[in-house]
């Protein structure tokens, strides 16, 4: 199992709230702030999309968009339209047969968008924030776009039709969707992070080694050897790409695993300490408190109550 898969599974994507909107003629609608990344798929026509930061893309039928920070996403037919917020009152007035209808339905020009919110486990939400770029746009003509389109169709079907095993299937489909999207974007990210490190084959090998044996007290020399690089070149390249020194990355991944185990009560403190590479619960508690800001037992109590 590779490191990216490890992270996505740790995020535990569980459900997606799907909805659809059809815009006719001239119109502009803002999506309310959402609690997780938003995915949008244009199933008919063409439309423009703008993030809260002002980045704008033109979408055609079959295009896919993943909005990593959906605080004020806007869909619009053309520049200069008055933007209307799609709040509960707006939806109540424009909902027709389960679909939001906006604009002049007598106009032949129509754009239809399917959207949904990916809800991940809050325990390690910072990992998702780091991984996701603000905007991913995949055109229908790209091979990845076709695969993502199929995934969106399957996700929509599972979300809208409760069947035996739907929760498990939906969870796996969302994992695949995130992995497919993230690996496509890995080499394009301008800022340091794990995803950028994974785009470098030698660094990806070292990150994979850390994930495969998190109990081991990895040294820079050992990881450099596994990556096939000199110690100095590896340390410099790793820090530049990932934004953390190799040993600091090991600590961060240990803490992510520990938080997940504590939240779901998987083992005693001694067992969790051993699972993430500490020889005693005391050593683990000290490291956890320094990194997370509270002792493991307190973290578990707060997490279980939330």
């Amino acid at each position: 199992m590779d490191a990216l898969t490890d992270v996505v599974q740790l995020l535990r994507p569980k459900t997606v709230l799907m909805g659809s909107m059809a815009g006719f003629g001239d119109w502009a609608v803002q999506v309310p702030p959402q609690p997780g990344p938003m995915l949008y798929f244009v199933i008919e026509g063409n439309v423009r999309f703008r993030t809260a930061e002002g980045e704008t893309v033109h979408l055609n039928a079959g295009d896919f968009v993943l909005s990593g920070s959906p605080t004020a996403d806007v869909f619009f037919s053309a520049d200069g339209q008055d933007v209307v917020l799609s709040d509960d009152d707006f939806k109540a007035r424009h909902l027709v047969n389960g679909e939001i209808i906006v604009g002049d339905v007598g106009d032949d020009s129509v754009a239809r968008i399917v959207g949904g919110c990916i809800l991940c486990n809050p325990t390690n939400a910072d990992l998702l924030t780091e991984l996701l770029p603000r905007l991913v746009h995949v055109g229908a003509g790209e091979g990845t776009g076709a695969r993502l389109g199929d995934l969106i169709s399957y996700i929509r079907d599972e979300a809208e039709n409760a069947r035996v095993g739907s929760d498990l299937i939906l969870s796996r489909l969302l994992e695949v969707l995130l992995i497919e999207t993230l690996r496509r974007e890995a080499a394009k990210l301008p800022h340091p992070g794990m995803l950028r490190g994974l785009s470098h084959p030698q660094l990806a090998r070292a990150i994979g080694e850390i994930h495969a044996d998190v109990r081991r007290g990895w040294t820079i020399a050992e990881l450099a050897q596994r990556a096939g690089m000199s110690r100095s070149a590896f340390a410099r390249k790793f820090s530049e790409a990932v934004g953390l020194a190799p040993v600091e990355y090991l600590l961060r991944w240990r803490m992510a695993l520990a938080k997940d185990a504590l939240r779901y009560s998987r083992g005693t403190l001694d067992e969790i300490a051993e699972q993430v590479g500490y020889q005693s619960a005391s050593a683990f508690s000290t490291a956890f408190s320094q990194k997370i800001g509270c002792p493991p037992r307190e973290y578990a109590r707060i997490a279980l109550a939330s």
Side-chain angles (χ1 to χ4, degrees):
M1 186 180 297
D2 62 64
L4 181 55
T5 304
D6 291 342
V7 173
V8 171
Q9 290 190 340
L10 198 64
L11 291 172
R12 299 173 182 268
K14 285 295 183 182
T15 188
V16 61
L17 310 174
M18 303 302 296
S20 62
M21 179 176 67
F24 296 82
D26 295 327
W27 56 278
V29 172
Q30 178 181 319
V31 181
Q34 300 297 318
M38 284 295 293
L39 59 89
Y40 306 103
F41 188 69
V42 181
I43 59 176
E44 182 181 357
N46 58 79
V47 65
R48 298 184 187 185
F49 174 80
R50 183 173 65 240
T51 66
E53 294 76 26
E55 186 173 357
T56 302
V57 293
H58 189 97
L59 306 176
N60 298 304
D63 284 11
F64 165 83
V65 166
L66 177 64
S67 177
S69 181
T71 56
D73 292 343
V74 175
F75 287 93
F76 58 105
S77 58
D79 292 329
Q81 303 302 312
D82 292 333
V83 179
V84 180
L85 177 65
S86 180
D87 55 16
D88 291 340
D89 180 62
F90 177 87
K91 292 175 182 176
R93 288 185 287 107
H94 291 83
L95 195 64
V96 180
N97 296 325
E99 183 175 52
I100 295 175
I101 305 295
V102 296
D104 181 3
V105 294
D107 195 303
D108 292 336
S109 176
V110 59
R112 183 165 277 108
I113 306 108
V114 173
C117 182
I118 300 175
L119 299 177
C120 294
N121 189 284
T123 307
N124 288 295
D126 56 325
L127 294 178
L128 184 62
T129 302
E130 175 190 319
L131 284 173
L132 285 181
R134 288 179 177 174
L135 176 65
V136 177
H137 172 209
V138 183
E142 303 177 44
T144 306
R147 292 199 296 276
L148 288 173
D150 290 339
L151 279 169
I152 296 296
S153 297
Y154 297 144
I155 289 169
R156 185 185 184 190
D157 179 62
E158 290 296 335
E160 294 179 344
N161 300 285
R163 293 184 288 256
V164 175
S166 281
D167 286 349
L168 178 60
I169 292 173
L170 189 56
S171 176
R172 294 296 177 264
L173 287 172
L174 287 170
E175 288 179 3
V176 174
L177 174 70
L178 284 175
I179 291 170
E180 185 77 62
T181 304
L182 291 171
R183 70 182 182 181
R184 176 186 181 274
E185 296 299 304
K188 302 178 182 179
L189 293 181
H191 57 276
M194 190 202 80
L195 196 59
R196 187 169 162 189
L198 291 176
S199 70
H200 188 290
Q202 290 171 292
L203 297 183
R205 198 177 307 143
I207 294 172
E209 293 283 359
I210 290 173
H211 283 229
D213 191 0
V214 72
R215 295 181 178 90
R216 182 168 179 164
W218 289 102
T219 66
I220 293 178
E222 289 173 329
L223 290 170
Q225 184 180 31
R226 299 295 177 91
M229 302 172 69
S230 71
R231 185 183 184 282
S232 59
F234 170 75
R236 184 187 73 255
K237 188 69 176 178
F238 194 100
S239 295
E240 289 174 351
V242 180
L244 297 169
V247 176
E248 180 65 19
Y249 179 83
L250 170 62
L251 174 60
R252 183 177 183 186
W253 182 240
R254 283 177 170 177
M255 293 301 107
L257 294 174
K259 287 193 296 181
D260 190 74
L262 288 165
R263 184 181 186 92
Y264 293 97
S265 302
R266 291 201 307 274
T268 65
L269 207 58
D270 285 308
E271 290 170 338
I272 294 173
E274 192 276 331
Q275 290 167 14
V276 297
Y278 291 89
Q279 295 183 350
S280 69
S282 175
F284 166 62
S285 295
T286 299
F288 190 93
S289 297
Q290 290 175 346
K291 187 67 176 177
I292 306 303
C294 66
R297 293 188 192 279
E298 182 181 345
Y299 178 87
R301 178 180 58 80
I302 296 171
L304 290 171
S306 63

